[in-house]
Amino acid sequence: MGVLARDVAEAWPAWTTPASWQLDAACRDLPLTVFYPDGTGASKFEQAQAICAGCPVIEDCRAMTDRAERGLSQSYVHGVFAGESPLERVRRRREYDALLFKLLQRIDVVP
């Protein structure tokens, strides 16, 4: 069956703190190939995104992924996490950072 998502979580401590929510993840017993698919184009992520869409811990997954990927260049961001492709995650974070910068400018925290 290959490597399962839970195998990676158990092997990589950064992804297991806290681990309790991961027990409820829809991906827990699925092969990693679902979330790291071969091929090109956005459609290659559809199966993983459909699984994530019904996951009860999607927000926890998004928060963990944002912490784990913080500071990585776009070329190191891979796979589907919290229902988002790598490009979708990078875009969301850029939009958030731009909004935060505007807010900080408005309250005179940054020039």
Side-chain angles (χ1 to χ4, degrees), residues 34 37-50 80 83-88 91:
V34 172
D38 291 331
T40 59
S43 63
K44 73 178 184 177
F45 298 119
E46 288 176 354
Q47 181 184 9
Q49 290 173 321
V80 173
E84 296 176 314
S85 71
L87 183 58
E88 290 168 335
R91 283 182 180 161

Side-chain angles (χ1 to χ4, degrees), residues 41-108:
S43 63
K44 73 178 184 177
F45 298 119
E46 288 176 354
Q47 181 184 9
Q49 290 173 321
I51 293 164
C52 294
C55 184
V57 295
I58 194 169
E59 294 302 323
D60 295 302
C61 182
R62 182 171 290 121
M64 180 223 37
T65 303
D66 285 346
R67 284 191 310 270
E69 291 180 346
R70 174 107 15 232
L72 293 179
S73 73
Q74 184 175 347
S75 62
Y76 288 102
V77 178
H78 298 287
V80 173
F81 289 93
E84 296 176 314
S85 71
L87 183 58
E88 290 168 335
R89 291 196 304 280
V90 169
R91 283 182 180 161
R92 176 179 50 80
R93 291 178 191 137
R94 284 183 183 159
E95 289 172 8
Y96 173 82
D97 289 346
L99 287 172
L100 180 60
F101 185 76
K102 285 180 183 179
L103 174 66
L104 293 173
Q105 281 182 316
R106 198 174 283 170
I107 60 174
D108 291 328

Side-chain angles (χ1 to χ4, degrees), residues 1-19 21-36 48 51-52 55 57 61 64-65 79-82:
M1 183 172 196
V3 178
L4 302 178
R6 69 174 170 196
D7 298 329
V8 171
E10 290 165 1
W12 190 11
W15 291 74
T16 59
T17 308
W21 64 267
Q22 291 175 335
L23 297 174
D24 297 323
C27 65
R28 178 147 174 88
D29 293 314
L30 297 175
L32 284 179
T33 54
V34 172
F35 300 93
Y36 293 91
I51 293 164
C52 294
C55 184
V57 295
C61 182
M64 180 223 37
T65 303
V80 173
F81 289 93

